[in-house]
Each structure stands twice: as structure tokens, then as C-alpha cells.
Amino acid sequence: MNRRQRALLVQVTLYVVLAAAVAALALVADWPVIKENFWNSDGIDWADGNWGDLITIGMVNTVKYTAIAFAGGLALGLVLALMRLSPVAPYRWLATAYVEFFRGLPALVVMIFMSTGLPIAFGWTPPGGTVGAGLIGLIMVAGAYMAETLRAGIQAVPKGQTEAARSLGMRPGATTVKVVLPQAFRIVIPPLTNEFVLLIKDTALLFLLGAAASERELTSVAKDFLTSGPSAGTATSLIQAALLYLVITLPLTQLVAWLERRQRKAVR
């Protein structure tokens, strides 16, 4: 048996083992019980089920919170990236300290500090209540990650572009704004889109801070339906929330993959 035949035999064996495992699981599983616990028919009714609150409150707030955190993180990240590339050493030190500090902390710790620790320590409550404090925490952490992404994008712009702009008489600030940054943003669109997807999932951390009924995001609404509503006592609401998260994130992950393929083709 030559090497190609052995590889084919291994591949066929793996397929057979996988098919046998799936068949055994299908035969052993108690499907009526699984369906009752994970997909209760009362909870998926469009007229009197969970979908209404999950979509009109949970999904809408999740998208809104993600957009706010992304816009704030992007603005903060751009300032930090420019500070890290500044010729003035104290600016670089400050930005580096910020980025390293907040990239080393869990987002949840920062969010709890903003919503609970800050009022206790300084007697000041961030605007927007609990959700506002949590979003500020998300922005602070997201800004640290986006700063590194933007810095890499700015450094990836060929120096010849800057030199050409300067030779035409453009000031350093105008060169950065009109020549460097537009090209840098095009370069970092895929990682920034990926950061947006991560923020969608991070908004679920707001659930741990608590929020008013109208401010709840997807995970909070789904958690409430675990103990109340037509699907109480089953995991139906969690499955529904997971499906809605996928409705948002899957198109974005496909967009990231498409953008990366497009950039690779442009580089060749």
C-alpha cells in the first residue's frame, strides 16, 4: 500500500467513526425530553412566546450598545494610537501604560469598577446609570485593543506616501488626516469588524451589572424567561437568544472573511 492509499484509508476510517458516533448518539438520545427542555413549543410561539421581548428589547438594545461601545472605543483608540506614535516621549509613555493596563484586565472587572467601585471610591456615578457605567467600561477596554489595531494600520502605510505629501507642502497634521489615516483605516477594516463582533458578545456582560426592564440586552431578557413566561423551567429562551446572536454575528464574520480575501488579492 503506497502513501496515497494509506492516507485515503485513514480518511475513510475517520468518516466511518464519525458517522458511527452520530448514529449512536441519535439512537441513544431521548429526543422528546431534549425537545421539551431546549425547544419548548409554548416559548417559541410568535404571538404569545418569548420572541417579542427578545427581538424588540433584547436584540435592539444589544445592537445599540454595541454601536455606542464601538464608536467610543474607535475614537479613544485613534487618540491612543496617535499618542503611541508621537515624537513626544511622555505621550508615548502614557498611551503605552494605558494600553498595557486595560488589555491586561478582564472587561467585566472594568465594568464593575465603573458601575460600583467608582461611586464608592469617589462618590461620583457615571452618566446613564448602570448601563452607562458598563458601556464606559467597555469603551475603555475596547479603546486599548483598537489603539493597537490602528497603530499597526498607520505603520503599514508606506512612508513614501507621507514623504510625497510633505514634498507637496502639506503640514504634518494635514498629511496624517488626509493621507495616512484614510489608508490606515482601509487596511484595518477586517480587524475592526472583528472587534465589532467581539463587542456584540461582550455586551452580554451588562447582564451581570443589572439594568431596568427597558434597558436589558439579549442575555438579560433570555435569563428572565428561564424563570418566568411561557418557557419557564426550560432552556428555550437561551436557545432563542443564541439564534438571534448568530443572526447578528454570522453575516459580520462572513464580511470579515470576504474583506480579508479581498485584501490578500489586492496585495498580490
Side-chain angles (χ1 to χ4, degrees):
M1 183 180 294
N2 58 35
R3 180 178 298 178
R4 185 175 179 180
Q5 289 172 327
R6 285 199 298 273
L8 180 61
L9 178 61
V10 170
Q11 194 172 15
V12 170
T13 302
L14 290 175
Y15 276 117
V16 170
V17 170
L18 179 62
V22 172
L25 179 64
L27 291 173
V28 171
D30 190 341
W31 293 108
V33 173
I34 292 175
K35 178 179 179 300
E36 185 62 26
N37 288 327
F38 290 94
W39 199 246
N40 182 285
S41 57
D42 294 333
I44 60 174
D45 186 275
W46 287 96
D48 192 29
N50 305 336
W51 288 112
D53 285 356
L54 280 169
I55 294 174
T56 59
I57 298 176
M59 194 172 181
V60 169
N61 281 339
T62 294
V63 174
K64 184 172 70 177
Y65 297 156
T66 303
I68 293 172
F70 183 80
L74 187 62
L76 177 60
L78 179 59
V79 172
L80 290 169
L82 293 175
M83 287 176 66
R84 290 206 70 177
L85 296 171
S86 170
V88 183
Y91 283 113
R92 293 200 305 274
W93 298 339
L94 283 172
T96 300
Y98 181 96
V99 169
E100 296 302 326
F101 181 76
F102 281 99
R103 286 202 310 171
L105 293 177
L108 183 58
V109 171
V110 181
M111 294 166 71
I112 292 175
F113 177 80
M114 293 303 297
S115 66
T116 307
L118 204 59
I120 293 175
F122 300 102
W124 178 76
T125 303
T130 302
V131 172
L135 286 176
I136 291 173
L138 267 184
I139 289 171
M140 293 171 74
V141 176
Y145 284 97
M146 289 189 199
E148 288 303 273
T149 300
L150 291 170
R151 182 172 67 92
I154 292 171
Q155 290 179 321
V157 176
K159 290 184 177 178
Q161 300 284 326
T162 304
E163 293 168 355
R166 297 297 306 278
S167 68
L168 293 174
M170 293 183 71
R171 294 179 179 277
T175 301
T176 300
V177 173
K178 296 181 179 179
V179 177
V180 177
L181 288 182
Q183 296 184 67
F185 273 105
R186 276 200 297 272
I187 293 171
V188 300
I189 282 177
L192 283 182
T193 309
N194 199 42
E195 183 66 30
F196 189 84
V197 174
L198 294 175
L199 279 175
I200 290 173
K201 292 179 281 187
D202 283 348
T203 57
L205 296 173
L206 292 169
F207 146 70
L208 295 172
L209 304 181
S214 61
E215 298 175 328
R216 294 173 301 170
E217 39 65 56
L218 264 176
T219 305
S220 301
V221 177
K223 187 263 179 186
D224 289 345
F225 282 133
L226 290 176
T227 54
S228 64
S231 65
T234 74
T236 303
S237 60
L238 292 178
I239 300 296
Q240 291 173 300
L243 291 175
L244 292 176
Y245 274 118
L246 292 175
V247 167
I248 304 171
T249 58
L250 282 181
L252 289 172
T253 53
Q254 292 303 310
L255 176 63
V256 172
W258 179 76
L259 290 171
E260 289 175 343
R261 287 197 299 272
R262 188 180 174 188
Q263 278 197 348
R264 281 198 296 269
K265 288 181 181 177
V267 171
R268 290 174 187 168

